[in-house]
């Protein structure tokens, strides 16, 4: 299959971005994404807990996570579709589609890239929205805090320390 | 990159399908899709005319066509995103995203497959919708007639005859 396109330039009106150095090898960062049991450990800000229902890491695969405040009852979190899964390189999903590329009512596409550097891995996430309104709503709903927190949890999980 | 998933089973509540034998080799059918000048010749029911603005045949590529009733002024037709482009095998696009996977207000994903048979190529299109309502609206808007007409035009173009 033809390789995916390079990323379009960031659109500051419609995109949100976050980036963080993780002091762990790229293979470990990828594994923290690709293994549902590991992903559950960091994908939602504690004390909320996460259940990974579907994680089909191929184009058209289903990606579904559920969340719980009490660890017993789980409600909807993300219901989306994997668009690109290049191990250790790039992962793209959207909630504007569900598994098998079926259209849905989602509002974002997330592009995660993993860059090996001497200190570990730079984990960069770029989230695309259809409109500036959707971007602003996502920002006001706490994008920076939420994604920042879970990247901190990922770092903690992989670096074996709390910071 | 990992190969895309096999197709999920057809969901008769939410999908529309159409299939036609084209008496031409699969390579020719693919070329009629991959070459913007050829695609323009059959992608809209005559006498409407088509202009292919973007046809980036890779995951995340832009797919945009415009239509005209008089051949002079062109209005919107499809503004979408290529999800899968496997030459001579399969092409998937959606209008729920635009180029670079940006979310949009579209309602369908189209999966086209090309199967070589002794008589030529079986061109199958499956169109997925998010809900039964969207499927029914598309059906009532003339899916079968529209897609049937343009597949007839494609056959005409490739078979060198009018039928």
């Amino acid at each position: 299959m033809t390789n995916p396109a390079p990323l379009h330039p960031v659109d500051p009106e419609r995109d949100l971005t976050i980036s963080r150095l993780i002091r762990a090898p790229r293979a470990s960062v990828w594994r923290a994404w690709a293994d549902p049991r590991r992903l559950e450990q960091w994908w939602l800000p504690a004390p909320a807990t996460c259940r990974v229902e579907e994680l089909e890491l191929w184009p058209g695969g289903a990606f579904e996570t559920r969340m719980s405040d009490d660890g017993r009852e789980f409600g909807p979190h993300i219901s989306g579709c994997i668009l690109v899964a290049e191990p250790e390189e790039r992962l793209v999903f959207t909630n504007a589609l569900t598994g098998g590329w079926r259209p849905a009512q989602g509002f974002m596409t997330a592009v995660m890239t993993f860059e090996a550097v001497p200190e570990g891995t730079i984990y960069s996430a770029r989230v695309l929205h259809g409109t500036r309104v959707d971007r602003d709503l996502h920002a006001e709903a706490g994008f920076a805090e939420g994604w920042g927190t879970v990247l901190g949890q990922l770092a903690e999980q992989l670096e074996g320390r709390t910071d």
Side-chain angles (χ1 to χ4, degrees), chain A:
Chain A
M1 180 157 149
T2 317
N3 280 330
L7 263 185
H8 291 209
V10 168
D11 176 349
E13 301 264 311
R14 295 186 290 172
D15 298 345
L16 294 167
T17 60
I18 190 167
S19 184
R20 175 175 175 139
L21 171 67
I22 309 281
R23 296 184 185 281
R26 202 156 64 150
S28 301
V29 173
W30 179 260
R31 201 166 54 234
W33 243 112
D35 175 347
R37 297 296 84 80
R38 290 175 200 261
L39 179 59
E40 286 175 348
Q41 301 301 314
W42 65 270
W43 182 235
L44 272 169
T49 55
C50 176
R51 186 180 287 165
V52 175
E53 300 282 354
E54 302 275 5
L55 181 63
E56 298 178 333
L57 290 178
W58 54 78
F63 176 47
E64 188 176 340
T65 56
R66 294 173 67 79
M67 65 184 296
S68 173
D69 289 327
D70 61 10
R72 290 191 302 271
E73 295 194 25
F74 284 77
H77 176 225
I78 287 177
S79 186
C81 184
I82 301 291
L83 297 172
V84 175
E86 297 172 319
E88 302 188 23
E89 294 277 349
R90 180 154 66 160
L91 187 62
V92 183
F93 76 84
T94 186
N95 64 2
L97 304 172
T98 55
W101 304 293
R102 188 174 297 283
Q105 294 302 312
F107 61 92
M108 67 168 176
T109 297
V111 181
M112 273 75 61
T113 52
F114 312 104
E115 183 192 353
V117 294
E119 300 83 0
T121 305
I122 296 176
Y123 181 123
S124 299
R126 174 175 166 200
V127 180
L128 299 90
H129 306 84
T131 63
R132 180 166 190 164
V133 169
D134 281 351
R135 175 208 174 275
D136 290 350
L137 284 171
H138 198 182
E140 287 157 21
F143 168 82
E145 298 79 4
W147 287 59
T149 297
V150 305
L151 282 184
Q153 293 176 173
L154 172 63
E156 192 178 315
Q157 176 181 316
L158 292 179
E159 296 170 4
R161 59 191 175 84
T162 56
D163 63 357

